[in-house]
Coordinates of all heavy atoms in Angstrom, one line a residue:
G86 N 6.4 1.4 10.1 CA 5.9 2.6 9.5 C 4.8 2.4 8.5 O 4.7 1.3 8.0
S87 N 4.0 3.4 8.3 CA 2.8 3.3 7.5 C 3.1 3.0 6.1 O 2.4 2.2 5.4 CB 2.0 4.6 7.6 OG 1.5 4.9 8.9
V88 N 4.2 3.6 5.5 CA 4.6 3.3 4.1 C 4.9 1.8 4.0 O 4.4 1.2 3.0 CB 5.8 4.2 3.7 CG1 6.2 3.8 2.3 CG2 5.4 5.6 3.7
Q89 N 5.7 1.3 4.9 CA 6.1 -0.1 4.8 C 4.8 -1.0 5.0 O 4.7 -2.1 4.3 CB 7.1 -0.5 5.9 CG 7.6 -1.9 5.8 CD 8.3 -2.2 4.5 OE1 9.0 -1.4 4.0 NE2 8.2 -3.5 4.1
N90 N 3.9 -0.6 5.8 CA 2.7 -1.4 6.0 C 1.9 -1.6 4.6 O 1.4 -2.6 4.3 CB 1.7 -0.7 7.0 CG 2.2 -0.9 8.4 OD1 3.3 -1.5 8.7 ND2 1.5 -0.3 9.3
V91 N 1.9 -0.4 3.9 CA 1.2 -0.5 2.6 C 2.0 -1.3 1.6 O 1.4 -2.2 0.9 CB 1.1 1.0 2.0 CG1 0.5 0.9 0.6 CG2 0.2 1.8 2.9
M92 N 3.3 -1.2 1.6 CA 4.2 -1.9 0.6 C 4.0 -3.4 0.8 O 4.1 -4.2 -0.2 CB 5.6 -1.5 0.8 CG 6.0 -0.1 0.5 SD 5.8 0.3 -1.3 CE 7.2 -0.5 -2.0
E93 N 3.8 -3.9 2.0 CA 3.7 -5.3 2.3 C 2.4 -6.0 1.7 O 2.4 -7.2 1.6 CB 3.8 -5.6 3.8 CG 5.2 -5.4 4.3 CD 5.4 -6.0 5.7 OE1 4.7 -7.0 6.0 OE2 6.3 -5.6 6.4
V94 N 1.5 -5.1 1.3 CA 0.3 -5.6 0.6 C 0.7 -6.5 -0.5 O 0.0 -7.5 -0.8 CB -0.6 -4.5 0.2 CG1 -1.6 -4.9 -0.8 CG2 -1.3 -3.8 1.4
R95 N 1.8 -6.2 -1.2 CA 2.2 -6.9 -2.4 C 2.5 -8.4 -2.2 O 2.3 -9.2 -3.0 CB 3.4 -6.3 -3.0 CG 3.2 -4.8 -3.4 CD 4.5 -4.2 -3.9 NE 5.5 -4.2 -2.8 CZ 6.7 -3.7 -2.9 NH1 7.2 -3.3 -4.1 NH2 7.6 -3.8 -1.9
A96 N 2.9 -8.7 -0.9 CA 3.3 -10.1 -0.6 C 2.4 -10.8 0.4 O 2.6 -12.0 0.7 CB 4.7 -10.1 -0.1
R97 N 1.4 -10.1 0.9 CA 0.5 -10.7 1.9 C -0.8 -11.3 1.3 O -1.2 -11.0 0.2 CB 0.2 -9.6 2.9 CG 1.4 -9.0 3.7 CD 1.9 -10.0 4.7 NE 2.9 -9.4 5.6 CZ 3.0 -9.6 6.9 NH1 2.2 -10.4 7.5 NH2 3.9 -9.0 7.6
G98 N -1.4 -12.1 2.2 CA -2.6 -12.7 1.7 C -3.9 -12.1 2.3 O -3.9 -11.0 2.8
G99 N -5.0 -12.9 2.4 CA -6.2 -12.4 2.9 C -6.4 -12.3 4.3 O -7.4 -11.8 4.8
D100 N -5.3 -12.7 5.1 CA -5.4 -12.5 6.5 C -4.6 -11.3 7.0 O -4.4 -11.1 8.2 CB -4.7 -13.8 7.2 CG -3.2 -13.9 6.8 OD1 -2.8 -13.3 5.8 OD2 -2.5 -14.7 7.5
Y101 N -4.3 -10.4 6.1 CA -3.4 -9.2 6.5 C -4.3 -8.0 6.7 O -5.0 -7.6 5.8 CB -2.4 -9.0 5.3 CG -1.5 -7.8 5.6 CD1 -0.7 -7.8 6.7 CD2 -1.4 -6.8 4.6 CE1 0.2 -6.7 6.9 CE2 -0.5 -5.8 4.8 CZ 0.3 -5.7 5.9 OH 1.2 -4.7 6.1
V102 N -4.2 -7.4 7.9 CA -4.8 -6.2 8.3 C -3.7 -5.2 8.7 O -2.8 -5.6 9.4 CB -5.9 -6.3 9.4 CG1 -6.4 -5.0 9.9 CG2 -7.0 -7.2 9.0
F103 N -3.8 -4.0 8.2 CA -2.7 -3.1 8.5 C -3.3 -1.7 8.7 O -4.4 -1.4 8.3 CB -1.7 -3.0 7.4 CG -2.2 -2.5 6.1 CD1 -2.0 -1.2 5.7 CD2 -2.9 -3.3 5.2 CE1 -2.5 -0.7 4.5 CE2 -3.4 -2.9 4.0 CZ -3.2 -1.6 3.6
T104 N -2.5 -0.8 9.4 CA -3.0 0.6 9.6 C -2.1 1.6 8.9 O -0.9 1.4 8.7 CB -3.0 0.9 11.1 OG1 -1.6 0.9 11.6 CG2 -3.8 0.0 11.9
T105 N -2.8 2.6 8.4 CA -2.1 3.6 7.6 C -3.0 4.8 7.4 O -4.3 4.6 7.5 CB -1.6 3.1 6.3 OG1 -0.6 4.0 5.7 CG2 -2.7 2.9 5.3
P106 N -2.5 6.0 7.2 CA -3.4 7.1 6.8 C -4.0 6.9 5.4 O -3.3 6.4 4.5 CB -2.5 8.3 6.8 CG -1.3 7.9 7.7 CD -1.1 6.5 7.4
P107 N -5.3 7.3 5.2 CA -5.9 7.1 3.9 C -5.1 7.8 2.8 O -5.1 7.4 1.7 CB -7.3 7.8 4.1 CG -7.6 7.6 5.6 CD -6.3 7.7 6.3
S108 N -4.5 8.9 3.1 CA -3.7 9.7 2.1 C -2.6 8.8 1.5 O -2.3 8.9 0.3 CB -3.1 11.0 2.7 OG -2.3 10.6 3.9
L109 N -2.0 7.9 2.3 CA -0.9 7.1 1.8 C -1.5 6.0 0.8 O -0.8 5.7 -0.1 CB -0.2 6.4 2.9 CG 0.9 7.3 3.7 CD1 1.7 6.4 4.6 CD2 1.8 8.0 2.7
V110 N -2.7 5.5 1.1 CA -3.3 4.6 0.2 C -3.5 5.2 -1.1 O -3.3 4.7 -2.2 CB -4.6 4.0 0.8 CG1 -5.3 3.1 -0.2 CG2 -4.3 3.2 2.1
G111 N -4.0 6.5 -1.1 CA -4.2 7.2 -2.3 C -2.9 7.4 -3.1 O -2.9 7.3 -4.4
L112 N -1.8 7.7 -2.4 CA -0.6 7.9 -3.1 C -0.1 6.6 -3.7 O 0.5 6.6 -4.8 CB 0.5 8.5 -2.1 CG 0.3 9.9 -1.6 CD1 1.2 10.3 -0.5 CD2 0.4 10.9 -2.8
A113 N -0.2 5.5 -3.0 CA 0.2 4.2 -3.4 C -0.6 3.8 -4.7 O 0.0 3.3 -5.7 CB 0.0 3.1 -2.4
Q114 N -1.9 4.0 -4.7 CA -2.7 3.7 -5.9 C -2.4 4.5 -7.1 O -2.6 4.1 -8.2 CB -4.2 3.7 -5.5 CG -4.5 2.6 -4.5 CD -5.9 2.7 -3.9 OE1 -6.6 3.8 -4.0 NE2 -6.5 1.6 -3.4
A115 N -1.9 5.8 -6.8 CA -1.6 6.7 -7.9 C -0.1 6.6 -8.3 O 0.3 7.2 -9.3 CB -1.9 8.1 -7.5
G116 N 0.7 5.9 -7.5 CA 2.1 5.7 -7.8 C 2.9 7.1 -7.6 O 3.8 7.4 -8.4
K117 N 2.5 7.8 -6.6 CA 3.1 9.2 -6.4 C 3.9 9.2 -5.1 O 3.8 8.3 -4.3 CB 2.0 10.2 -6.3 CG 1.2 10.4 -7.6 CD 0.2 11.5 -7.5 CE -0.6 11.8 -8.8 NZ -1.6 12.8 -8.6
A118 N 4.7 10.3 -5.0 CA 5.5 10.6 -3.8 C 6.4 9.4 -3.5 O 7.2 8.9 -4.4 CB 4.7 11.0 -2.7
M119 N 6.3 8.9 -2.3 CA 7.2 7.8 -1.9 C 6.9 6.5 -2.6 O 7.7 5.5 -2.5 CB 7.1 7.6 -0.4 CG 5.8 7.1 0.2 SD 4.5 8.4 0.2 CE 5.2 9.5 1.5
F120 N 5.8 6.4 -3.4 CA 5.5 5.2 -4.1 C 5.8 5.4 -5.6 O 5.5 4.5 -6.4 CB 4.0 4.9 -4.0 CG 3.6 4.6 -2.5 CD1 3.0 5.5 -1.7 CD2 3.9 3.3 -2.0 CE1 2.7 5.2 -0.4 CE2 3.5 3.0 -0.7 CZ 3.0 4.0 0.1
D121 N 6.5 6.5 -6.0 CA 6.8 6.8 -7.4 C 7.8 5.7 -7.9 O 8.8 5.4 -7.2 CB 7.5 8.1 -7.5 CG 7.8 8.5 -8.9 OD1 7.2 7.9 -9.8 OD2 8.7 9.4 -9.1
G122 N 7.4 5.0 -8.9 CA 8.2 3.9 -9.5 C 8.1 2.6 -8.7 O 8.7 1.6 -9.1
K123 N 7.2 2.6 -7.7 CA 7.0 1.4 -7.0 C 5.5 0.9 -7.0 O 5.1 0.1 -6.2 CB 7.4 1.6 -5.5 CG 8.8 2.0 -5.3 CD 9.1 2.4 -3.9 CE 10.6 2.9 -3.7 NZ 10.9 3.3 -2.3
G124 N 4.8 1.4 -8.0 CA 3.4 1.0 -8.2 C 3.2 -0.5 -8.3 O 4.1 -1.2 -8.8
D125 N 2.1 -1.0 -7.9 CA 1.8 -2.4 -8.0 C 0.3 -2.6 -8.1 O -0.5 -1.9 -7.4 CB 2.3 -3.1 -6.8 CG 2.3 -4.6 -7.0 OD1 1.3 -5.3 -6.9 OD2 3.4 -5.2 -7.2
P126 N -0.2 -3.5 -8.9 CA -1.7 -3.7 -9.0 C -2.3 -4.1 -7.7 O -3.5 -3.8 -7.5 CB -1.8 -4.9 -10.0 CG -0.5 -4.8 -10.8 CD 0.5 -4.3 -9.9
A127 N -1.5 -4.7 -6.8 CA -2.0 -5.0 -5.4 C -2.6 -3.8 -4.7 O -3.5 -4.0 -3.9 CB -0.9 -5.8 -4.6
F128 N -2.0 -2.7 -4.9 CA -2.4 -1.5 -4.2 C -3.9 -1.1 -4.5 O -4.6 -0.5 -3.7 CB -1.5 -0.3 -4.5 CG -0.1 -0.5 -4.0 CD1 1.0 0.2 -4.7 CD2 0.2 -1.2 -2.9 CE1 2.3 0.0 -4.3 CE2 1.6 -1.4 -2.5 CZ 2.6 -0.8 -3.2
D129 N -4.3 -1.4 -5.7 CA -5.7 -1.1 -6.1 C -6.7 -2.0 -5.4 O -7.9 -1.7 -5.5 CB -5.8 -1.3 -7.6 CG -5.0 -0.3 -8.4 OD1 -4.8 0.8 -7.9 OD2 -4.6 -0.6 -9.6
E130 N -6.2 -3.1 -4.8 CA -7.1 -4.0 -4.1 C -7.2 -3.7 -2.6 O -7.9 -4.4 -1.8 CB -6.6 -5.4 -4.2 CG -6.4 -5.9 -5.7 CD -7.7 -5.6 -6.5 OE1 -8.8 -5.9 -6.0 OE2 -7.6 -5.1 -7.6
I131 N -6.6 -2.6 -2.1 CA -6.7 -2.2 -0.7 C -8.1 -1.7 -0.4 O -8.7 -0.9 -1.2 CB -5.7 -1.1 -0.4 CG1 -4.3 -1.6 -0.5 CG2 -5.9 -0.5 1.0 CD1 -3.2 -0.6 -0.4
R132 N -8.7 -2.1 0.7 CA -10.0 -1.8 1.1 C -10.1 -1.5 2.6 O -9.5 -2.2 3.4 CB -11.0 -2.9 0.8 CG -11.2 -3.3 -0.7 CD -11.8 -2.2 -1.5 NE -12.0 -2.6 -2.9 CZ -11.1 -2.3 -3.9 NH1 -10.0 -1.7 -3.6 NH2 -11.4 -2.7 -5.1

């Protein structure tokens, strides 16, 4: 699922490519909704 794809950013390296809706990246970076309480600096590095 897209949420799990984003969550794995925390443990993956430079060879990791994943798919997800842009809206979920925004939620992860803001620590909102399903990412509430699960924020991580790694989310800010998603490009």
Side-chain angles (χ1 to χ4, degrees):
S87 296
V88 173
Q89 184 59 35
N90 288 359
V91 175
M92 293 295 285
E93 288 197 21
V94 163
R95 299 173 300 176
R97 297 285 189 143
D100 62 344
Y101 182 54
V102 174
F103 65 98
T104 64
T105 196
S108 56
L109 281 189
V110 173
L112 290 173
Q114 292 174 339
K117 294 181 178 178
M119 64 285 290
F120 298 99
D121 185 20
K123 301 175 183 176
D125 194 284
F128 296 150
D129 293 330
E130 304 307 315
I131 294 173
R132 299 291 185 268

